[in-house]
Amino acid sequence: GNSVTQMEGPVTLSEEAFLTINCTYTATGYPSLFWYVQYPGEGLQLLLKATKADDKGSNKGFEATYRKETTSFHLEKGSVQVSDSAVYFCALKVSAGNNRKLIWGLGTSLAVNP
Amino acid sequence: DAGITQSPRHKVTETGTPVTLRCHQTENHRYMYWYRQDPGHGLRLIHYSYGVKDTDKGEVSDGYSVSRSKTEDFLLTLESATSSQTSVYFCAIVDASGNEQFFGPGTRLTVL
C-alpha cells in the first residue's frame, strides 16, 4: 500500500543551523509529493511540492528533491530561523477516480532557538 | 486564502451528547475533507466529499457521520460524543488543479 515515513522529532536547532528532515515513501504508480507546515495554533499550509521524479520543490529557503531511486523527499534548509519553528508534514498524493486523498507522515516538530 | 472557515473554533461537551462541526468554503471547490489531529498520530482522514451528497469514509470514520447538502458546507457530526473523540478537527479543500489542499483554522473539541 501507500505510506509515508518521516523522521521522529522533536528536532531542536540553533538559529542559522542546517536543517534536514527525512521523508521516505512507498507508493504504487507515480505519486506527487508534498511538504506542509503547521505553525502553532494554525492549520496546515503547503510549503512545497514536486510532481515527478527529479523535480525540486522550493519555497521560503526550504528545498526538497523527489528521488524515485531512493523513494525519498527530504526537506532541507541551509540556515533556519526562529520563525521556522513549526511542525512539518510530508505527504503523497495518489489520485484514483473520486479519491484525491493525501497520505500523511506523522509530522516532525522543529524548535529553533535564538 | 481559500476562504475556509470552521465553526465553532472551540467546544467543550459531555460524553453522550451530539456534536456538529461545520466547514464552510466560499470558492465552490468540489472536494472537501475532515481530518482529526492527535499527538503521535499525525493527521487522520475521517470522511471526504467529492460533490453535493457524495461522500465516502476515511480511515477513522467510526462514530462520525457527514453531510453535504450544499457545495459550500460540509458538516461533521458526532452522534454520541466519547472522550476518545477529543481532538483538533481540520477541514480541507482541494484546489481546482487538484494539487494542493487548503486547510481551515481547526476546531478544538474536548469531550468530558
Side-chain angles (χ1 to χ4, degrees), chain A residues 8-21:
Chain A
E8 290 188 25
V11 174
T12 303
L13 295 174
S14 298
E15 208 165 22
E16 299 185 3
F18 185 86
L19 169 70
T20 300
I21 300 178

Side-chain angles (χ1 to χ4, degrees), chain A:
Chain A
N2 302 312
S3 67
V4 173
T5 303
Q6 60 181 106
M7 64 187 284
E8 290 188 25
V11 174
T12 303
L13 295 174
S14 298
E15 208 165 22
E16 299 185 3
F18 185 86
L19 169 70
T20 300
I21 300 178
N22 291 336
C23 173
T24 57
Y25 68 90
T26 58
T28 55
Y30 303 95
S32 297
L33 300 172
F34 304 84
W35 276 102
Y36 280 77
V37 59
Q38 184 180 30
Y39 298 104
E42 299 183 10
L44 283 72
Q45 55 186 277
L46 180 67
L47 180 60
L48 53 84
K49 65 184 179 187
T51 57
K52 61 183 188 298
D54 298 326
D55 269 1
K56 177 186 282 189
S58 61
N59 186 25
K60 298 181 181 180
F62 291 88
E63 294 183 340
T65 301
Y66 186 160
R67 302 279 189 205
K68 195 171 189 297
E69 64 276 12
T70 55
T71 62
S72 65
F73 192 54
H74 303 322
L75 182 68
E76 296 181 337
K77 187 175 185 183
S79 176
V80 293
Q81 305 301 310
V82 172
S83 57
D84 294 325
S85 298
V87 181
Y88 293 83
F89 291 89
C90 184
L92 70 85
K93 185 188 78 168
V94 179
S95 296
N98 288 319
N99 182 348
R100 296 190 181 187
K101 294 189 297 185
L102 288 178
I103 309 298
W104 296 89
L106 294 183
T108 302
S109 176
L110 170 67
V112 180
N113 297 320

